[in-house]
């Protein structure tokens, strides 16, 4: 049975806690990604910043480009270990309504797994579909 470490992206671009809004925005543009883990100087995962965080908590609140990324990042972290099963990773994503999950080992970033990664795996495709449905549901419509 495959685990997260078998399909995760290992070469992950990160922001440092000392980076600014403009640094994160430029990195997302250059790497064509919508989320970037935020790490301290030792590589410990401190949070995650998404394009939505930049817009909603940053630019829409008229914060300048020089605003520290820590002021807009999501610090409520959900993650998994490299030896986590693909089904468990899907469940974590669904339970917490996240599309990307940092893979952490001993507090440090080892990689990242996304719903897209899960959907390309035949064995986890159903779990990824269920996770996406849970993430995409709008509770206010029920």
């Amino acid at each position: 049975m495959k685990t997260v470490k078998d399909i995760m992206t290992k070469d992950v671009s990160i922001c440092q806690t000392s980076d600014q809004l403009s640094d994160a925005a430029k990195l997302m543009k250059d790497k064509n990604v919508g989320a970037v883990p935020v790490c301290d100087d030792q590589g410990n995962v401190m949070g995650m910043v998404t394009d939505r965080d930049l817009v909603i908590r940053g630019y829409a609140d008229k914060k300048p480009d020089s605003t520290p990324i820590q002021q807009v990042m999501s610090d409520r972290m959900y993650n998994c270990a490299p030896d986590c099963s693909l089904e468990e990773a899907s469940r974590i994503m669904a339970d917490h309504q996240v599309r990307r999950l940092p893979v952490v080992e001993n507090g440090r970033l080892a990689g990242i797994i996304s719903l897209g990664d899960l959907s390309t795996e035949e064995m986890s495709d159903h779990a990824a579909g269920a996770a996406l449905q849970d993430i995409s549901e709008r509770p206010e419509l029920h």
Side-chain angles (χ1 to χ4, degrees):
M1 180 183 293
K2 284 189 176 182
T3 61
V4 166
K5 70 180 168 198
D6 296 320
I7 68 167
M8 70 182 185
T9 300
K10 295 176 180 96
D11 183 26
V12 180
S13 297
I14 64 164
C15 283
Q16 297 289 321
T17 51
S18 59
D19 286 346
Q20 302 170 351
L21 289 183
S22 58
D23 298 320
K26 181 168 178 9
L27 181 63
M28 287 180 192
K29 178 184 175 193
D30 292 348
K31 299 295 183 176
N32 193 30
V33 296
V36 179
V38 180
C39 298
D40 65 13
D41 293 337
Q42 290 76 41
N44 298 306
V45 181
M46 306 303 291
M48 187 84 120
V49 64
T50 66
D51 46 7
R52 182 171 171 79
D53 292 330
L54 294 179
V55 171
I56 301 297
R57 296 182 189 153
Y59 298 118
D61 282 345
K62 300 193 185 310
K63 291 186 178 168
D65 283 344
S66 59
T67 301
I69 203 68
Q70 284 187 294
Q71 290 186 20
V72 300
M73 73 179 191
S74 300
D75 56 5
R76 180 178 291 166
M77 284 298 302
Y78 305 105
N79 60 62
C80 65
D83 60 352
C84 180
S85 72
L86 301 182
E87 290 73 24
E88 177 67 10
S90 295
R91 187 192 62 73
I92 293 168
M93 289 179 183
D95 288 351
H96 300 290
Q97 298 198 341
V98 296
R99 296 173 186 264
R100 299 164 199 93
L101 197 59
V103 181
V104 177
E105 190 167 32
N106 298 322
R108 296 203 168 136
L109 186 68
I112 195 161
I113 189 166
S114 70
L115 278 178
D117 297 328
L118 291 171
S119 69
T120 62
E121 289 298 315
E122 188 175 318
M123 296 302 290
S124 66
D125 190 43
H126 176 71
L132 179 59
Q133 180 179 352
D134 288 347
I135 291 167
S136 299
E137 280 187 357
R138 294 175 50 193
E140 68 271 14
L141 297 178
H142 298 288

